[in-house]
Amino acid sequence: MTQSLPASFHAGVSPAGGAVQVVVVGAGPYGLSVAAHLRAAGIRVRVFGEVMGSWRHAMATGMFLKSTPEATDLSAPEPGGRLEDFCRERGEPVLTELTPIPCTTFVDYGQWFQQRYAGDIDPSRMERIERREGGFTLRLNGGERLAASAVVVATGLTGLARLPQNLVHIAPDGPGPEAPLSHTSQHRDLSRYAGLRVAVIGGGQSALESAALLHESGARVDVLVRAGRVRWGERPVLDRPPVRRLIVPSSPLGSGWVVKAVSQAPGGVQVLPARARMVLLRRALGPSGGWWLRERVENIVPVHTGRHITAAHVGKDGLRLELSGAGSGPRELVVDHVLAATGYRLDLDAMSFLCPHLRATVKPLAGSRAPRLSAAFESSVPGLFFTGSMAAPSFGPVMRFVAGTAYTARRITARITRYAPTP
């Protein structure tokens, strides 16, 4: 896909009179990494969002990352910005593959990275982005308006939570911790359900770890997994024989040649036909639980495989869930709350801060509602870039993880610096 960036790049000025050249929306791992590389390249950039906001507000207390330290490094434009460097500076032991990383540690690392590499972050919320001659106009929640030559969308999974449509009716005022139905991204403290009956839907890390936390907080938990079995990661072996490393190579996201290929060569994924990319996205790095979590769930929390909810009814005794599927578990459950760990929908229409006309202008990748992106993460709208999970249909499942930040930040920065002379 051949495109041209806005004319203001060629002129070396922004439509705001030189005040802002690039705006990054989002201050999580991708936003911070892209901002760090742009600043190092001398590009004028302004970043909006709460630093590590989703990791601070959409993760329940007590959660750990499934990723290894190698897959958790943000991308700095120079040496010294890895999680390992952060731990050393704080006088803490360097983490290994055998050390699950607390989400709180990762948040602290992100804030440290921001102060060192990404510069000031404006916590204002982006309300509206429109396309205009030579770039974009933007409006913040406080009313401020500004213009930019390019916009990098790095909002992560905010606003993209997916809920089973056959359950939405049990929460007529909307899902949430106080409602009968919620999504895992809406929780900070699962101990609120102590003594209550909770059905957790899903078979991935979010579902299984939420179930463990609920059980440990005193809730009565049942996990419903549509698949026929739960997949668990294998305990890492730090010193593997050379032959074993050749047969089953390791990568930041797991072992095996397919995982290694999709995690280390996202550019190769990007040139595949759209249909092949979607198949790869669905099948590679599918739902699983971390190896260290298994002992907190297996034979402790009831997990019903091959079961899914076909109907839900609100009654005097709670929520009555009708179940079906190939599994041999219960045909009915009565619970007080349903916690959906059912993933996220990659849908441009859910990004309400992009004005309707702009959303309609962005061409989706065939077979999805995610944007079709160039090799530099640029959409069909010149100067509008997408990162993280919204880039996964184009570049593969590595973009769902922090491990994709380095490739993304370098590609976007190379594209922008090609057209934007430094001040």
Short mmCIF file of all heavy atoms in Angstrom, two decimals, residues 172-201:
data_model
loop_
_atom_site.label_atom_id
_atom_site.label_comp_id
_atom_site.label_asym_id
_atom_site.label_seq_id
_atom_site.Cartn_x
_atom_site.Cartn_y
_atom_site.Cartn_z
N PRO A 172 -29.34 -4.79 32.25
CA PRO A 172 -30.00 -3.77 31.41
C PRO A 172 -29.41 -2.38 31.55
O PRO A 172 -29.52 -1.57 30.62
CB PRO A 172 -31.46 -3.82 31.88
CG PRO A 172 -31.41 -4.43 33.25
CD PRO A 172 -30.27 -5.40 33.21
N ASP A 173 -28.79 -2.07 32.68
CA ASP A 173 -28.17 -0.76 32.86
C ASP A 173 -26.69 -0.76 32.49
O ASP A 173 -25.97 0.20 32.76
CB ASP A 173 -28.33 -0.31 34.32
CG ASP A 173 -29.79 -0.11 34.71
OD1 ASP A 173 -30.56 0.30 33.82
OD2 ASP A 173 -30.15 -0.39 35.86
N GLY A 174 -26.25 -1.84 31.89
CA GLY A 174 -24.86 -1.93 31.48
C GLY A 174 -24.06 -2.84 32.39
O GLY A 174 -24.34 -2.95 33.59
N PRO A 175 -23.03 -3.50 31.84
CA PRO A 175 -22.22 -4.40 32.66
C PRO A 175 -21.33 -3.62 33.61
O PRO A 175 -20.99 -2.46 33.37
CB PRO A 175 -21.39 -5.14 31.61
CG PRO A 175 -21.28 -4.17 30.48
CD PRO A 175 -22.58 -3.43 30.44
N GLY A 176 -20.93 -4.25 34.69
CA GLY A 176 -20.05 -3.62 35.66
C GLY A 176 -19.99 -4.42 36.94
O GLY A 176 -20.78 -5.37 37.13
N PRO A 177 -19.08 -4.09 37.83
CA PRO A 177 -18.94 -4.85 39.09
C PRO A 177 -20.21 -4.93 39.91
O PRO A 177 -20.46 -5.93 40.58
CB PRO A 177 -17.84 -4.07 39.83
CG PRO A 177 -17.05 -3.40 38.75
CD PRO A 177 -18.05 -3.05 37.69
N GLU A 178 -21.06 -3.89 39.87
CA GLU A 178 -22.30 -3.89 40.65
C GLU A 178 -23.44 -4.60 39.94
O GLU A 178 -24.46 -4.94 40.55
CB GLU A 178 -22.73 -2.44 40.94
CG GLU A 178 -21.69 -1.62 41.71
CD GLU A 178 -21.69 -1.94 43.19
OE1 GLU A 178 -22.58 -2.72 43.61
OE2 GLU A 178 -20.83 -1.43 43.90
N ALA A 179 -23.29 -4.84 38.65
CA ALA A 179 -24.35 -5.46 37.85
C ALA A 179 -24.20 -6.98 37.90
O ALA A 179 -23.19 -7.51 38.37
CB ALA A 179 -24.25 -4.96 36.41
N PRO A 180 -25.21 -7.71 37.42
CA PRO A 180 -25.11 -9.18 37.39
C PRO A 180 -24.04 -9.69 36.43
O PRO A 180 -23.61 -10.84 36.53
CB PRO A 180 -26.50 -9.62 36.94
CG PRO A 180 -27.40 -8.46 37.23
CD PRO A 180 -26.55 -7.25 37.02
N LEU A 181 -23.62 -8.85 35.48
CA LEU A 181 -22.65 -9.24 34.45
C LEU A 181 -21.54 -8.21 34.38
O LEU A 181 -21.80 -7.00 34.45
CB LEU A 181 -23.35 -9.34 33.09
CG LEU A 181 -22.47 -9.51 31.86
CD1 LEU A 181 -21.83 -10.91 31.84
CD2 LEU A 181 -23.29 -9.28 30.57
N SER A 182 -20.31 -8.67 34.26
CA SER A 182 -19.18 -7.76 34.09
C SER A 182 -18.12 -8.41 33.22
O SER A 182 -18.15 -9.61 32.96
CB SER A 182 -18.58 -7.36 35.44
OG SER A 182 -17.99 -8.48 36.08
N HIS A 183 -17.18 -7.58 32.77
CA HIS A 183 -16.02 -8.05 32.00
C HIS A 183 -14.80 -7.93 32.89
O HIS A 183 -14.73 -7.06 33.77
CB HIS A 183 -15.86 -7.19 30.73
CG HIS A 183 -14.84 -7.72 29.77
ND1 HIS A 183 -13.50 -7.41 29.84
CD2 HIS A 183 -14.98 -8.55 28.69
CE1 HIS A 183 -12.86 -8.01 28.85
NE2 HIS A 183 -13.73 -8.70 28.13
N THR A 184 -13.83 -8.80 32.71
CA THR A 184 -12.65 -8.78 33.57
C THR A 184 -11.93 -7.44 33.55
O THR A 184 -11.29 -7.05 34.53
CB THR A 184 -11.66 -9.88 33.17
OG1 THR A 184 -11.46 -9.85 31.74
CG2 THR A 184 -12.19 -11.26 33.55
N SER A 185 -12.04 -6.69 32.45
CA SER A 185 -11.36 -5.40 32.36
C SER A 185 -12.00 -4.33 33.23
O SER A 185 -11.45 -3.23 33.36
CB SER A 185 -11.35 -4.92 30.90
OG SER A 185 -12.67 -4.70 30.43
N GLN A 186 -13.13 -4.64 33.86
CA GLN A 186 -13.83 -3.65 34.69
C GLN A 186 -13.50 -3.79 36.18
O GLN A 186 -14.12 -3.13 36.99
CB GLN A 186 -15.34 -3.79 34.48
CG GLN A 186 -15.79 -3.48 33.06
CD GLN A 186 -17.28 -3.69 32.87
OE1 GLN A 186 -17.80 -4.78 33.09
NE2 GLN A 186 -17.97 -2.64 32.45
N HIS A 187 -12.53 -4.63 36.50
CA HIS A 187 -12.31 -4.93 37.92
C HIS A 187 -10.93 -4.53 38.42
O HIS A 187 -9.93 -4.72 37.75
CB HIS A 187 -12.51 -6.43 38.17
CG HIS A 187 -13.93 -6.85 38.08
ND1 HIS A 187 -14.82 -6.73 39.12
CD2 HIS A 187 -14.63 -7.37 37.04
CE1 HIS A 187 -16.00 -7.17 38.74
NE2 HIS A 187 -15.92 -7.56 37.48
N ARG A 188 -10.93 -4.01 39.64
CA ARG A 188 -9.71 -3.79 40.39
C ARG A 188 -9.63 -4.70 41.60
O ARG A 188 -8.55 -5.09 42.03
CB ARG A 188 -9.64 -2.32 40.88
CG ARG A 188 -9.41 -1.29 39.80
CD ARG A 188 -8.01 -1.38 39.21
NE ARG A 188 -6.97 -1.37 40.24
CZ ARG A 188 -6.51 -0.27 40.83
NH1 ARG A 188 -7.00 0.90 40.50
NH2 ARG A 188 -5.55 -0.35 41.74
N ASP A 189 -10.77 -5.06 42.19
CA ASP A 189 -10.80 -5.82 43.43
C ASP A 189 -11.88 -6.89 43.36
O ASP A 189 -13.07 -6.59 43.44
CB ASP A 189 -11.05 -4.89 44.62
CG ASP A 189 -11.00 -5.61 45.95
OD1 ASP A 189 -10.62 -6.80 45.98
OD2 ASP A 189 -11.37 -4.98 46.97
N LEU A 190 -11.46 -8.14 43.21
CA LEU A 190 -12.42 -9.25 43.11
C LEU A 190 -12.88 -9.76 44.46
O LEU A 190 -13.78 -10.61 44.53
CB LEU A 190 -11.80 -10.39 42.30
CG LEU A 190 -11.57 -10.09 40.81
CD1 LEU A 190 -10.80 -11.22 40.14
CD2 LEU A 190 -12.89 -9.85 40.09
N SER A 191 -12.30 -9.25 45.54
CA SER A 191 -12.72 -9.70 46.87
C SER A 191 -14.14 -9.25 47.20
O SER A 191 -14.74 -9.75 48.15
CB SER A 191 -11.74 -9.19 47.93
OG SER A 191 -11.81 -7.78 48.06
N ARG A 192 -14.70 -8.35 46.41
CA ARG A 192 -16.07 -7.90 46.63
C ARG A 192 -17.06 -9.05 46.49
O ARG A 192 -18.20 -8.98 46.97
CB ARG A 192 -16.43 -6.79 45.64
CG ARG A 192 -16.48 -7.26 44.20
CD ARG A 192 -16.69 -6.14 43.19
NE ARG A 192 -17.94 -5.45 43.46
CZ ARG A 192 -18.06 -4.13 43.57
NH1 ARG A 192 -16.98 -3.37 43.44
NH2 ARG A 192 -19.23 -3.59 43.79
N TYR A 193 -16.67 -10.15 45.84
CA TYR A 193 -17.57 -11.27 45.61
C TYR A 193 -17.40 -12.39 46.64
O TYR A 193 -17.90 -13.50 46.44
CB TYR A 193 -17.37 -11.82 44.20
CG TYR A 193 -17.66 -10.80 43.13
CD1 TYR A 193 -16.63 -10.25 42.37
CD2 TYR A 193 -18.95 -10.36 42.90
CE1 TYR A 193 -16.89 -9.29 41.40
CE2 TYR A 193 -19.23 -9.40 41.93
CZ TYR A 193 -18.18 -8.87 41.19
OH TYR A 193 -18.45 -7.92 40.24
N ALA A 194 -16.70 -12.10 47.73
CA ALA A 194 -16.52 -13.11 48.78
C ALA A 194 -17.88 -13.63 49.25
O ALA A 194 -18.80 -12.85 49.54
CB ALA A 194 -15.75 -12.51 49.96
N GLY A 195 -18.04 -14.94 49.31
CA GLY A 195 -19.28 -15.55 49.75
C GLY A 195 -20.34 -15.68 48.68
O GLY A 195 -21.39 -16.29 48.91
N LEU A 196 -20.09 -15.12 47.48
CA LEU A 196 -21.07 -15.18 46.39
C LEU A 196 -20.71 -16.27 45.39
O LEU A 196 -19.57 -16.76 45.35
CB LEU A 196 -21.15 -13.82 45.69
CG LEU A 196 -21.56 -12.62 46.55
CD1 LEU A 196 -21.62 -11.37 45.70
CD2 LEU A 196 -22.90 -12.88 47.24
N ARG A 197 -21.71 -16.64 44.58
CA ARG A 197 -21.51 -17.63 43.53
C ARG A 197 -21.19 -16.90 42.22
O ARG A 197 -21.96 -16.03 41.79
CB ARG A 197 -22.77 -18.48 43.36
CG ARG A 197 -23.21 -19.21 44.64
CD ARG A 197 -24.68 -19.63 44.55
NE ARG A 197 -25.57 -18.48 44.46
CZ ARG A 197 -26.90 -18.56 44.34
NH1 ARG A 197 -27.47 -19.75 44.30
NH2 ARG A 197 -27.64 -17.48 44.26
N VAL A 198 -20.08 -17.23 41.60
CA VAL A 198 -19.63 -16.54 40.39
C VAL A 198 -19.31 -17.56 39.31
O VAL A 198 -18.58 -18.53 39.55
CB VAL A 198 -18.38 -15.67 40.67
CG1 VAL A 198 -17.97 -14.93 39.39
CG2 VAL A 198 -18.64 -14.69 41.80
N ALA A 199 -19.84 -17.33 38.12
CA ALA A 199 -19.47 -18.11 36.94
C ALA A 199 -18.49 -17.29 36.12
O ALA A 199 -18.78 -16.14 35.76
CB ALA A 199 -20.71 -18.46 36.11
N VAL A 200 -17.34 -17.86 35.83
CA VAL A 200 -16.33 -17.20 35.01
C VAL A 200 -16.35 -17.85 33.64
O VAL A 200 -16.26 -19.08 33.51
CB VAL A 200 -14.92 -17.32 35.64
CG1 VAL A 200 -13.88 -16.67 34.74
CG2 VAL A 200 -14.90 -16.70 37.02
N ILE A 201 -16.48 -17.03 32.59
CA ILE A 201 -16.55 -17.54 31.22
C ILE A 201 -15.20 -17.32 30.54
O ILE A 201 -14.72 -16.19 30.45
CB ILE A 201 -17.64 -16.84 30.41
CG1 ILE A 201 -18.97 -16.88 31.15
CG2 ILE A 201 -17.78 -17.46 29.04
CD1 ILE A 201 -20.04 -16.06 30.47
#
